[in-house]
Amino acid sequence: MDKLIFIKYGELSTKKDNRKMFVKMLLKNIKNKLDGLNYKIDYTTSRMYIETTNDDLEELVKRLKQVFGIHSIVICERVNTNKEEIENKIIEVVKKLKFETFKIETKRSYKGFPMTSLEFSKHIGGIVLKNIPCKVDVHNPDITINIEIRSEGTFIYTNEVNGIGGYPVGVQGKGMLMLSGGIDSPVAGYLALKRGVDLECLYFESPPHTSIETKNKVIKLASIINNYSGNIKVHVVPFTKLQEEIYKNVPDTYIITIMRRMMYRIAERLSKKRKCKVIINGESIGQVASQTLTSMVVINNVTNMPVIRPVACLDKLEIIDLSLKIGTYETSILPFEDCCTIFVPRHPVINPELDKCILYENLFDYETLIDECINNIETIKNLEINNYETLL
Ligand code: ATP
Ligand code: MG
């Protein structure tokens, strides 16, 4: 193993009591993500060290950039905490680099080292100037040579790659994501993962009104966000009968409100069964009639389970930006029908009344239909992007 990387934890390091558990979860997630690569990993409470080969370095860094809980990834050189060894290594490092101006940043956490950080930066700066034709520029240097003097060794690096931050996925337990083929819900899922909430997904399908392509699209979206988790499953709920009953019994303007109340009821039942603590969805305030605050209150009324709406306060352009960043946009905009876009009334109610919802729901036996939905769920595990790519 000829390459060494260390990982900074970021926000995680502000957690006092939970820190051990967080670090363990991060370690588990990193191991899952690096499966198949050649590496050795070790950790302390403040960082992780990964040794790898030259060949696997690039792929390893690429995968680490999809692991929540990592603030930054640093490819470094390590020597013993010994003045001469550090000097020699720095000369070797700078000789390989192209630059005109530089600065030295020393951090001395090991107080047994005989020089202060500032003294050592000046000392090493002098050595660099003697060996290479260049200048010091402390304000806007071409490169910064970082030297971290610690008891376990001294680490030298010039480059730090940003990680995606957040908390390790799973530290908060699981949430049930209502995942449609749209733009919003995959982004909502990504944001929940970022706060450490692992996901199971729930998709309502209405064949033959919705097609197999829509289902495959949803599975593909799930497999894209699964890059940030590794544990995601998709539960496909057969929604046709219940949706047709709503259509038959409920006045036009209330169809969507009632349909969404049914979705919430099913999401709650399945969440409890699958030990998910919360429901998560892609609702955004005011986006459509069913997402006015009044609609949200009336729809939310069927459950006591917290409903997390990570994109509630973002506008559509901000959500699109995120979907481009995480790689779901291209799939989300494929033009296949969703069960929310079929049977859409021309004038859905904007300010629904709870009494009316209850009245309309009592016109048919929805409990039995909900049982049927729950009993006939198809669960898809082992999401692999490539398996679904060809289906679209
Ligand atoms: P768009 O990006 O086009 O708005 P959307 O998925 O957000 O698509 P909405 O009609 O705004 O569609 O639905 C609001 C939320 O309800 C979705 O973000 C999703 O969480 C949930 N939802 C809608 N349809 C389904 C479905 N068929 N299966 C599961 N969840 C759904
Ligand atoms: Mg939406």
Side-chain angles (χ1 to χ4, degrees):
M1 305 266 183
D2 36 17
K3 287 286 169 192
L4 179 65
I5 288 173
F6 69 80
I7 286 169
K8 297 187 185 173
Y9 300 147
E11 194 173 351
L12 213 156
S13 40
T14 61
K15 294 272 145 189
K16 273 198 207 113
D17 302 337
N18 292 334
R19 187 137 143 194
K20 254 195 187 153
M21 188 268 277
F22 275 51
V23 172
K24 281 211 166 120
M25 187 63 88
L26 180 61
L27 182 68
K28 181 172 156 244
N29 294 350
I30 288 178
K31 284 182 174 171
N32 276 346
K33 192 74 192 173
L34 299 186
D35 191 34
L37 297 180
N38 212 336
Y39 72 96
K40 256 189 350 208
I41 191 162
D42 199 5
Y43 68 97
T44 70
T45 44
S46 58
R47 55 176 51 173
M48 274 181 202
Y49 296 105
I50 302 179
E51 282 178 66
T52 187
T53 60
N54 237 331
D55 286 350
D56 279 352
L57 180 70
E58 196 183 327
E59 174 65 19
L60 190 134
V61 172
K62 192 174 136 205
R63 292 196 202 174
L64 289 177
K65 278 159 104 180
Q66 292 185 319
V67 178
F68 285 121
I70 296 180
H71 172 72
S72 62
I73 303 155
V74 179
I75 303 168
C76 65
E77 302 282 349
R78 186 206 147 123
V79 290
N80 293 319
T81 294
N82 162 303
K83 204 164 150 249
E84 244 178 40
E85 277 193 48
I86 302 171
E87 290 166 3
N88 291 339
K89 183 52 90 179
I90 289 198
I91 295 168
E92 187 190 313
V93 167
V94 289
K95 280 191 171 162
K96 285 188 211 146
L97 297 170
K98 277 198 181 133
F99 63 95
E100 284 173 11
T101 57
F102 76 101
K103 87 170 172 185
I104 308 276
E105 288 264 6
T106 306
K107 258 195 217 146
R108 185 187 61 144
S109 359
Y110 173 55
K111 300 298 175 203
F113 193 74
M115 291 169 100
T116 66
S117 298
L118 202 63
E119 283 165 0
F120 198 59
S121 287
K122 279 190 184 153
H123 171 70
I124 293 291
I127 292 179
V128 173
L129 288 170
K130 254 189 225 153
N131 281 274
I132 309 241
C134 60
K135 281 188 197 143
V136 173
D137 181 347
V138 288
H139 301 297
N140 192 20
D142 294 340
I143 62 161
T144 300
I145 301 163
N146 295 278
I147 307 169
E148 288 194 2
I149 301 171
R150 299 167 82 96
S151 54
E152 71 257 34
T154 292
F155 302 87
I156 300 158
Y157 60 94
T158 54
N159 193 11
E160 194 162 335
V161 180
N162 287 336
I164 46 172
Y167 290 137
V169 170
V171 290
Q172 294 290 344
K174 275 189 305 184
M176 182 64 72
L177 172 68
M178 296 168 65
L179 181 64
S180 67
I183 294 169
D184 306 329
S185 47
V187 171
Y190 169 88
L191 292 173
L193 288 167
K194 181 165 186 170
R195 299 312 292 167
V197 183
D198 209 350
L199 302 175
E200 297 206 5
C201 301
L202 170 56
Y203 166 59
F204 297 92
E205 69 162 352
S206 290
H209 313 295
T210 60
S211 62
I212 184 76
E213 281 92 346
T214 312
K215 178 176 165 188
N216 288 334
K217 173 180 166 181
V218 171
I219 296 168
K220 170 134 187 239
L221 289 170
S223 50
I224 296 172
I225 54 173
N226 195 37
N227 280 322
Y228 302 92
S229 158
N231 303 310
I232 294 181
K233 298 180 178 68
V234 182
H235 305 284
V236 181
V237 180
F239 201 48
T240 315
K241 257 198 198 168
L242 183 48
Q243 206 175 0
E244 286 175 353
E245 280 306 300
I246 296 169
Y247 191 61
K248 254 188 249 162
N249 292 288
V250 174
D252 254 25
T253 48
Y254 270 72
I255 285 179
I256 296 281
T257 315
I258 304 293
M259 188 182 84
R260 296 197 64 78
R261 282 165 60 90
M262 297 300 165
M263 284 181 166
Y264 271 46
R265 288 183 169 106
I266 293 171
E268 184 197 72
R269 288 264 302 266
L270 188 62
S271 299
K272 287 189 173 151
K273 204 167 152 187
R274 299 293 314 156
K275 302 208 166 25
C276 293
K277 295 177 187 168
V278 294
I279 296 167
I280 298 158
N281 68 32
E283 288 173 347
S284 174
I285 300 170
Q287 193 183 81
V288 285
S290 60
Q291 291 166 31
T292 61
L293 284 187
T294 311
S295 281
M296 281 189 187
V297 170
V298 169
I299 291 165
N300 211 149
N301 188 265
V302 299
T303 178
N304 286 324
M305 191 172 258
V307 179
I308 310 279
R309 302 171 176 87
V311 300
C313 297
L314 300 186
D315 58 47
K316 195 75 190 186
L317 288 178
E318 290 171 314
I319 302 173
I320 289 176
D321 271 355
L322 278 169
S323 76
L324 284 165
K325 189 180 126 203
I326 66 176
T328 50
Y329 183 75
E330 293 300 327
T331 306
S332 289
I333 58 170
L334 292 172
F336 303 121
E337 290 284 2
D338 177 50
C339 72
C340 279
T341 52
I342 55 174
F343 309 137
V344 178
R346 216 175 296 151
H347 299 294
V349 61
I350 290 172
N351 292 307
E353 291 166 41
L354 186 57
D355 291 353
K356 285 191 180 160
C357 291
I358 294 168
L359 186 78
Y360 299 145
E361 284 171 355
N362 284 331
L363 297 173
F364 62 105
D365 179 14
Y366 67 83
E367 288 291 356
T368 308
L369 291 166
I370 286 181
D371 285 344
E372 251 183 68
C373 286
I374 299 278
N375 293 335
N376 290 296
I377 284 175
E378 174 201 2
T379 297
I380 295 155
K381 301 172 191 165
N382 303 326
L383 296 171
E384 277 293 337
I385 287 189
N386 296 337
N387 293 351
Y388 296 95
E389 197 96 53
T390 50
L391 298 175
L392 291 171

